[in-house]
Every structure is written in C-alpha cells, then in structure tokens.
Amino acid sequence: MDLNNLNRLIERVIDIQNHKQFYRDFDPLLRESLEECLQEIKLQYGSFLLEKLFDIYDDYFSDNEMRSIEEYLTSDGVEVDGDDFEEPHTRLTIRPYPLRFVVNGITKPFKEIIWTAA
C-alpha cells in the first residue's frame, strides 16, 4: 500500500477544504479536484480506511455509528462519544504525515492520536 500517496491525497483534500472555508467563492475547478481526490481515496484506500475505522469504533466508540470516509477528512471531523477520553464529546478526524486518526475535544481542548500508520 502506498501510504505516501494516501497522505498526499488527504493533504490535498484538507488544503482544498481550508481554501473553501477561507474564500466564500469556491472555484469549480477546485470542487472538481476535491471530488477527484475523494474518489481516488475511496477507490484505492477505502477498504483499508474502513477497516481501521471499524477497529477504532469497536475499541472506543461502539455506541456510535460510522460515517463515510469523506466526513472524517473535514476539519470538523465526525462527532463521537467515548468514555475513554478526557471529554466524552469529541471529534474524530483523519490526518496525514503520518497517516493517523485523531480525537479532539469539543468543549475542552485536548488532542489524542488513537491510531498511526506504521
């Protein structure tokens, strides 16, 4: 598996979404590029990421419903409730370099990496 390519794609998605948030006028070419990156992530790495998400949900968030991969790539991530952290109400995101799943507090600032690619 080419983790460097996956990291690059995730970084590109995050950059485009940050641009989208900063500038209200979203360029159609950027939208197309975003859709292409997301499609490539789902096709090439979707099963890998879903497997890792399944394990994470099984370990930490068993009472929560998994969402689509795209939602974990946004800056907001996906809200999840877990009892194993400083704050039960958290956000789960996927971040690049190194590829990792991160839990961030919603009301109290904290950050915990719960999985990192070897």
Side-chain angles (χ1 to χ4, degrees):
M1 171 163 311
D2 187 358
L3 290 179
N4 285 330
N5 187 48
L6 178 55
N7 278 312
R8 183 187 58 76
L9 289 167
I10 291 172
E11 184 176 49
R12 178 83 173 129
V13 167
I14 292 169
D15 288 346
I16 292 171
Q17 290 176 340
N18 287 340
H19 180 84
K20 180 180 174 182
Q21 287 179 340
F22 188 72
Y23 299 103
R24 301 239 186 256
D25 185 23
F26 194 51
D27 184 348
L29 293 176
L30 278 177
R31 179 173 286 119
E32 183 179 324
S33 179
L34 176 62
E35 290 170 6
E36 288 173 1
C37 287
L38 290 172
Q39 187 68 17
E40 189 172 346
I41 289 170
K42 285 194 301 188
L43 289 174
Q44 291 187 20
Y45 308 101
S47 60
F48 170 75
L49 292 173
L50 287 174
E51 180 183 321
K52 297 305 173 197
L53 276 170
F54 181 81
D55 292 343
I56 288 169
Y57 271 76
D58 191 41
D59 290 344
Y60 300 104
F61 310 114
S62 58
D63 293 339
N64 294 262
E65 185 176 325
M66 277 180 41
R67 302 282 186 83
S68 67
I69 293 171
E70 297 92 341
E71 294 182 60
Y72 298 94
L73 295 170
T74 65
S75 58
D76 290 341
V78 173
E79 283 191 35
V80 289
D81 293 324
D83 296 331
D84 296 336
F85 305 101
E86 292 178 34
E87 179 185 359
H89 304 294
T90 59
R91 293 188 192 279
L92 178 61
T93 58
I94 301 173
R95 291 293 171 246
Y97 298 111
L99 178 64
R100 63 196 184 277
F101 285 90
V102 180
V103 175
N104 291 297
I106 294 176
T107 56
K108 277 196 322 192
F110 87 93
K111 175 181 172 181
E112 186 171 332
I113 297 171
I114 57 175
W115 180 86
T116 303

